[in-house]
Amino acid sequence: MITYEDRRAGQLAAAGRWPELLELFRRLRGTSPRSAGPVGHLIAYAAPPEHAARLFDRDGGPFTAADEHDHDAGPLWEVLATRHSWRRLAPLLEPAPVRRLVAHTRALLGEEVAGRAEPDPEGVPLTLAAWEQAGWEESVRVRDYLPAGGARRALFALPDTREDLGPLDLPAPGPRTPGPAATRSPAGLAPWLTTVCVRGTAPDAAAQLAPGRRVLAGHLPFAAAYPALVQAASGARGLGTAHGRLAVWHLLAGMAGAARPVPAEVDALVARLRCLAWSEPRDELWYLHLALEDPATGLAWALSGSMEP
């Protein structure tokens, strides 16, 4: 249903009356935050950067500035980041959380941000590692936003095909690992994922969650699983791909036994991980079935679940 405010916003945008459109967004955000979303999307998508970045300025008074949580088809900061370079946006963005997420988004989109933006406060690099880039095209890393609202996003599925899988007999499920090792598991990666930690191999971990002893499964490099993990961690409407990347880096840091991401330690973990993906009969659109084994510690983790589109 197109409201009066939607029509007015469209008319102001068509006329290039961005200051008036910004005032409309601020008024709506202060009185009707849900109605402000489409207006904010229009500004973030279509306005010149000097106007679009003002969505996040606090000069309009309390409760009128967008923050990292404001969204419509996706986070407003992510819409903005898909439209303008870091070089254009850096002098204009003030709130630190928004600056951080925009910088990571620009890095995901292939821009050289490291050295041009403040270092990440948690140690996640602003340059994508080689294993992050492998097999993950820039054009599908971040949602493709549409001018009037809405977005296109690549579906994720792991494993994404059964062609390279073969029958595998899993061992009988053993005990799960409690305590500190279990806290490194990807339990918070996505609410629809079930996760476990065991002392053993990737098949031992998969046996905890797979629907039966015999499955269709296959080994793959972590780089092939990485995009699906990021997309799973950023699947909620209010989250962006940068959230997913940060979450996966923290997951890997925990698996490596570190309190925060250290690129050299994460790279070393990724290089030695043994990964196993398996298929389940009910898989449809968005699903993930993955076991990760670290032979250096003898620990393995499994993640499994499906998300409604």
Side-chain angles (χ1 to χ4, degrees), residues 188-200:
L189 202 65
W192 48 270
L193 282 172
T194 300
T195 64
V196 297
C197 177
V198 301
R199 187 163 294 279

Side-chain angles (χ1 to χ4, degrees), residues 128-145:
L128 270 62
W131 48 267
E132 293 184 272
Q133 301 180 58
W136 198 19
E137 298 179 7
E138 293 176 10
S139 61
V140 297
R141 292 177 190 166
V142 181
R143 292 180 183 94
D144 179 20
Y145 289 100

Side-chain angles (χ1 to χ4, degrees), residues 94-280:
E94 294 182 3
V98 171
R99 288 181 63 85
R100 181 194 188 202
L101 291 166
V102 169
H104 279 284
T105 304
R106 292 306 309 170
L108 282 160
L109 292 171
E111 185 175 356
E112 293 185 11
V113 178
R116 302 176 182 177
E118 47 271 35
D120 185 83
E122 297 177 345
V124 179
L126 285 169
T127 300
L128 270 62
W131 48 267
E132 293 184 272
Q133 301 180 58
W136 198 19
E137 298 179 7
E138 293 176 10
S139 61
V140 297
R141 292 177 190 166
V142 181
R143 292 180 183 94
D144 179 20
Y145 289 100
L146 306 177
R152 291 186 289 260
R153 186 181 187 186
L155 296 177
F156 69 86
L158 190 70
D160 60 358
T161 177
R162 298 187 179 187
E163 292 181 2
D164 299 324
L165 306 180
L168 175 67
D169 290 322
L170 298 174
R176 300 183 182 185
T177 302
T183 64
R184 306 180 203 166
S185 74
L189 202 65
W192 48 270
L193 282 172
T194 300
T195 64
V196 297
C197 177
V198 301
R199 187 163 294 279
T201 66
D204 291 324
Q208 297 283 339
L209 301 179
R213 293 285 298 277
R214 170 160 282 204
V215 294
L216 283 176
H219 291 276
L220 69 166
F222 180 80
Y226 174 71
L229 289 170
V230 173
Q231 290 171 319
S234 58
R237 186 179 181 190
L239 300 180
T241 308
H243 285 119
R245 179 176 184 246
L246 293 169
V248 173
W249 268 85
H250 280 283
L251 160 66
L252 294 170
M255 291 170 64
R260 55 181 285 162
V262 178
E265 295 182 9
V266 170
D267 288 345
L269 171 69
V270 167
R272 66 178 185 262
L273 279 177
R274 297 171 181 169
C275 306
L276 178 75
W278 72 91
S279 176
E280 297 192 358

